[in-house]
């Protein structure tokens, strides 16, 4: 039986969801129903493999993920925020991989775009109806109460501003740091991220280190969490779909070529700077929007912990992509799911030791498991992923062989 | 015959090492020109100067009549002046077909071309050229897993995929199995005759270069020692001395 990359991903996603389900509901009924869900899903998948074409199977996989995504906040109403953050993590890992995995530029500073987007949206959303400097100088004394239209309209504009400003920062920063390669690029971008947090912290207009309170959500608490859940879910879904399309284009081979040998790529006439800039700008675009949503979701924007959390979110992005398997489409998704579950568990059950546990995970990942979950699975079961090679000598022989196989 | 590359008085030094000393060379359009010389005589340095890998200290390099000595590597490549590397370079984590597909000419690529899919013609051309160099059966293998000689062939195929006007080949037969060398010579000649690519070839193997080139330049200690038809070069006492003296 031949399975695609997709099916491994599904098993892991399904088992993870089931696992999460049984843990989140520590009573027997919920655990049993979690198990039933897992069994039903796996059974569906096995049947799908037996009776469906590759295209149909992919369709089922996407349908299952989307249905789970839509159902999750209603099935687990107490954990809407955690699951929303999972989608954010998936977006983080995917956008980091655009540079680090696909292009070999290991950025430790992608969090900049998240923070820039967050602040851009904050300024636009507040500035739409208030004087921002005056608002921030009263530090929370003014409660911003928008009606639905004002809120949604402001946030829409905020998202646009977030995406644009993140792209501008990516293009400008790229001019500076794209001259650096290898570890120098990593350190350079890390420095830029730390500096960004400090700079914003010293900028009084946006409240400096004291931060900005975002407009209050006009609906109820439940409506609020659902609103932001679906915003992040939609953004992650869009990111995945966009990358799936993008990686079937010339773009993918060009950035992979830059990863493998940039000097060769230059010698072959590839517009390397253009590809690097566009790659970074696209990942900044997506991160900027996610920052805007997250800022509104947390309700309060502040430079070090929320907007530019370099050593948490900034490093998690890298870890998740490495854990799942960098340079693949599904690897970062898998990595984000596994990482988020491990992280939530250690934060719950090993409180006080969570950073140690996380450190161990990093060491094991980097020292013994560099290819990540997906890379490891592909190496172990190449047939499983359709990575077998037709060794026909000529094009005629290859045509014959594929003709016979299809008979 | 017209000269497609005109090199005039080009000098290049690395610190105290004078790698090229006022070298003048003309590469005839549509022909095969050879470049020989003992190890360290400055052949690769000259190639690097031509393709803009480093700035030259003085002199002039013209391609199709236009000065290119201040251009960057990518610009020169996009003009149709391409080189292969002495230390073969391919994209090692991509398979052979992918290596070929991304080696298309980027002369007229605009921003939006990044998002184009690979056309069926490009795919077909990639497979044709892989078959041409004898790597068709390896097409789905990761390029980094190929043997050194196979990588050399792949790099040659990638260069052809780029449809260059001039191809600078740095020791194309180094590391190639002697029984395959004749086949490779034939392919180089075919690339020259059928695809109309002007070749400028660095080669240590005398039998190969005598067989291949119409005109040969010989460097020694960074200076141009001799030039002429293969027979003249072979019988030139200075060339013989340079080679014997260097070993
Ligand atoms: N980047 C560099 N930095 C310093 N010295 C260099 C550099 N490149 C070449 N050289 C020196 O220039 C001289 C010529 O080197 P080059 O590589 O051009 O020789 P070559 O003719 O290609 O030799 P081979 O046949 O061994 O490939 C050598 O003495 C070499 O050490
Ligand atoms: Mg050399």
């Amino acid at each position: 039986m031949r399975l695609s990359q997709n099916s491994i991903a599904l098993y892991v996603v399904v088992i993870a969801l089931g696992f999460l389900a049984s843990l989140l509901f520590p009573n027997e009924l919920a655990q049993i129903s979690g198990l039933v869900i897992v069994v039903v899903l796996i059974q569906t998948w096995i049947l799908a493999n037996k009776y469906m074409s590759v295209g149909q199977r992919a369709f089922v996989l996407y349908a299952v993920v989307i249905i789970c995504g839509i159902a999750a906040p209603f099935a687990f109403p107490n954990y809407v925020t955690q699951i929303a953050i999972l989608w954010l993590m998936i977006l983080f890992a995917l956008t980091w991989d655009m540079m680090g995995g696909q292009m070999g530029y290991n950025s430790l500073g992608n969090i900049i775009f998240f923070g820039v987007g967050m602040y851009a949206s904050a300024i636009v959303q507040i500035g739409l109806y208030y004087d921002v400097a005056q608002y921030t100088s009263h530090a929370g004394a003014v409660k911003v109460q928008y009606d639905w239209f004002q809120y949604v309209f402001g946030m829409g504009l905020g998202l646009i501003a977030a995406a644009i400003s993140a792209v501008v920062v990516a293009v400008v920063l790229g001019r500076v740091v794209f001259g650096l390669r290898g570890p120098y690029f990593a350190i350079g971008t890390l420095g830029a991220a730390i500096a960004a947090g400090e700079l914003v912290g010293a900028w009084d207009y946006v409240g400096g280190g004291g931060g900005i309170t975002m407009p209050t959500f006009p609906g109820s608490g439940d409506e609020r969490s659902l609103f932001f859940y679906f915003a992040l879910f939609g953004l992650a879904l869009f990111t995945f779909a966009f990358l799936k399309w993008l990686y079937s284009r010339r773009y993918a081979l060009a950035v992979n070529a830059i990863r493998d040998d940039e000097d060769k790529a230059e010698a072959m006439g590839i517009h390397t700077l253009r590809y690097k800039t566009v790659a970074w700008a696209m990942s900044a675009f997506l991160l900027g929007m996610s920052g805007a949503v997250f800022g509104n979701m947390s309700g309060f924007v502040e430079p070090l912990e929320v907007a530019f959390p370099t050593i948490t979110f900034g490093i998690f992005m890298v870890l998740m992509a490495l854990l799942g398997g960098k340079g693949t489409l599904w690897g970062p998704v898998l990595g984000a799911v596994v990482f988020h579950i491990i992280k939530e568990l250690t934060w719950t059950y090993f409180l006080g030791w969570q950073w140690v546990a996380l450190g161990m995970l990093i060491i094991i990942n980097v020292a013994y498991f560099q290819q990540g979950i997906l890379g490891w699975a592909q190496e172990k079961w190449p047939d499983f992923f359709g990575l077998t090679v037709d060794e026909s000598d000529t094009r005629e022989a290859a045509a014959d062989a594929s003709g016979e196989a299809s008979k | 015959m017209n000269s497609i590359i005109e090199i005039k008085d080009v000098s290049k030094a690395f610190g105290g090492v004078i790698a090229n000393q006022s070298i003048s060379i003309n590469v005839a359009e549509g022909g095969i020109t050879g470049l020989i010389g003992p190890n360290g005589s400055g052949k690769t340095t000259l190639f690097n100067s031509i393709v803009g890998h480093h700035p030259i200290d003085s002199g002039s390099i013209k391609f199709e009549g236009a000065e290119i000595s201040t251009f960057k590597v990518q610009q020169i490549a996009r003009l149709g002046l391409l080189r292969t590397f002495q230390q073969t370079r391919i994209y090692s984590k991509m398979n052979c077909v992918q290596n070929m597909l991304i080696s298309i000419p980027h002369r007229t690529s605009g921003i939006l071309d990044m998002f184009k899919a690979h056309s069926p013609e490009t795919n077909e051309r990639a497979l044709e050229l892989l078959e041409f160099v004898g790597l068709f059966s390896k097409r789905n293998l990761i390029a980094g897993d190929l043997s050194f000689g196979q990588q050399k062939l792949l790099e040659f195929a990638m260069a052809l995929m780029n449809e260059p006007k001039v191809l600078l080949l740095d020791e194309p037969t180094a590391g190639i199995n002697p029984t395959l060398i004749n086949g490779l010579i034939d392919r180089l000649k075919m690339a020259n005759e059928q695809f109309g690519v002007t070749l400028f070839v660095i080669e240590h193997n005398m039998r190969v270069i005598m067989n291949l080139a119409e005109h040969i330049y010989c460097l020694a200690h960074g200076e141009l020692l001799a030039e002429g038809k293969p027979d003249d070069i072979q019988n030139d006492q200075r060339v013989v001395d340079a080679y014997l003296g260097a070993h």
Side-chain angles (χ1 to χ4, degrees), chain A residues 329-350:
Chain A
L329 181 59
W330 276 100
V333 178
L334 279 180
V337 174
V338 173
F339 177 88
H340 193 59
I341 292 171
I342 293 178
K343 185 182 150 286
E344 289 298 310
L345 290 181
T346 49
W347 253 250
T348 312
Y349 296 107
F350 298 99

Side-chain angles (χ1 to χ4, degrees), chain A residues 249 251 260 269 272 395, chain B residues 74 78 93 114-115 124 131:
Chain A
R249 307 277 120 179
Y251 168 92
D260 285 357
T272 49
R395 282 187 300 146
Chain B
Q74 289 137 304
R78 291 197 285 268
K93 295 204 192 83
M114 290 185 173
F115 306 111
E124 189 59 20
E131 195 175 19

Side-chain angles (χ1 to χ4, degrees), chain B residues 53-70:
Chain B
H53 185 77
H54 51 219
I56 54 175
D57 297 341
S58 62
S60 138
I61 301 171
K62 284 191 176 143
F63 177 62
E64 297 186 306
E67 185 68 34
I68 57 166
S69 57
T70 55

